[in-house]
mmCIF file of all heavy atoms in Angstrom:
data_model
loop_
_atom_site.group_PDB
_atom_site.id
_atom_site.type_symbol
_atom_site.label_atom_id
_atom_site.label_comp_id
_atom_site.label_asym_id
_atom_site.label_seq_id
_atom_site.Cartn_x
_atom_site.Cartn_y
_atom_site.Cartn_z
ATOM 1 N N GLY A 130 -13.953 -12.138 -6.129
ATOM 2 C CA GLY A 130 -13.421 -11.078 -7.113
ATOM 3 C C GLY A 130 -12.043 -10.780 -6.980
ATOM 4 O O GLY A 130 -11.178 -11.683 -6.644
ATOM 5 N N GLY A 138 2.304 3.633 5.363
ATOM 6 C CA GLY A 138 2.409 3.313 6.761
ATOM 7 C C GLY A 138 3.452 4.216 7.460
ATOM 8 O O GLY A 138 4.372 4.703 6.834
ATOM 9 N N GLU A 163 -13.536 -5.385 -7.377
ATOM 10 C CA GLU A 163 -14.685 -5.820 -8.145
ATOM 11 C C GLU A 163 -15.217 -6.997 -7.455
ATOM 12 O O GLU A 163 -14.547 -7.992 -7.171
ATOM 13 C CB GLU A 163 -14.305 -6.104 -9.565
ATOM 14 C CG GLU A 163 -15.551 -6.635 -10.454
ATOM 15 C CD GLU A 163 -15.364 -6.907 -11.848
ATOM 16 O OE1 GLU A 163 -14.192 -7.210 -12.215
ATOM 17 O OE2 GLU A 163 -16.269 -7.023 -12.661
ATOM 18 N N TYR A 203 -8.304 3.021 7.654
ATOM 19 C CA TYR A 203 -7.264 3.356 8.559
ATOM 20 C C TYR A 203 -7.074 2.219 9.531
ATOM 21 O O TYR A 203 -8.097 1.706 10.038
ATOM 22 C CB TYR A 203 -7.618 4.580 9.335
ATOM 23 C CG TYR A 203 -6.571 4.957 10.330
ATOM 24 C CD1 TYR A 203 -5.418 5.721 9.991
ATOM 25 C CD2 TYR A 203 -6.775 4.693 11.722
ATOM 26 C CE1 TYR A 203 -4.468 6.070 11.021
ATOM 27 C CE2 TYR A 203 -5.857 5.010 12.668
ATOM 28 C CZ TYR A 203 -4.636 5.736 12.279
ATOM 29 O OH TYR A 203 -3.707 6.045 13.198
ATOM 30 N N ASN A 266 -33.449 -14.145 -22.081
ATOM 31 C CA ASN A 266 -33.686 -15.171 -23.063
ATOM 32 C C ASN A 266 -32.406 -15.426 -23.883
ATOM 33 O O ASN A 266 -32.045 -14.671 -24.624
ATOM 34 C CB ASN A 266 -34.825 -14.758 -24.080
ATOM 35 C CG ASN A 266 -35.373 -15.891 -24.917
ATOM 36 O OD1 ASN A 266 -34.660 -16.741 -25.131
ATOM 37 N ND2 ASN A 266 -36.647 -15.772 -25.225
ATOM 38 N N PRO A 287 -23.151 4.259 -0.594
ATOM 39 C CA PRO A 287 -22.194 4.357 0.432
ATOM 40 C C PRO A 287 -22.337 3.216 1.371
ATOM 41 O O PRO A 287 -23.283 2.598 1.546
ATOM 42 C CB PRO A 287 -22.580 5.743 1.165
ATOM 43 C CG PRO A 287 -24.094 5.901 0.867
ATOM 44 C CD PRO A 287 -24.280 5.270 -0.519
#
Side-chain angles (χ1 to χ4, degrees):
E163 181 180 15
Y203 177 80
N266 190 330

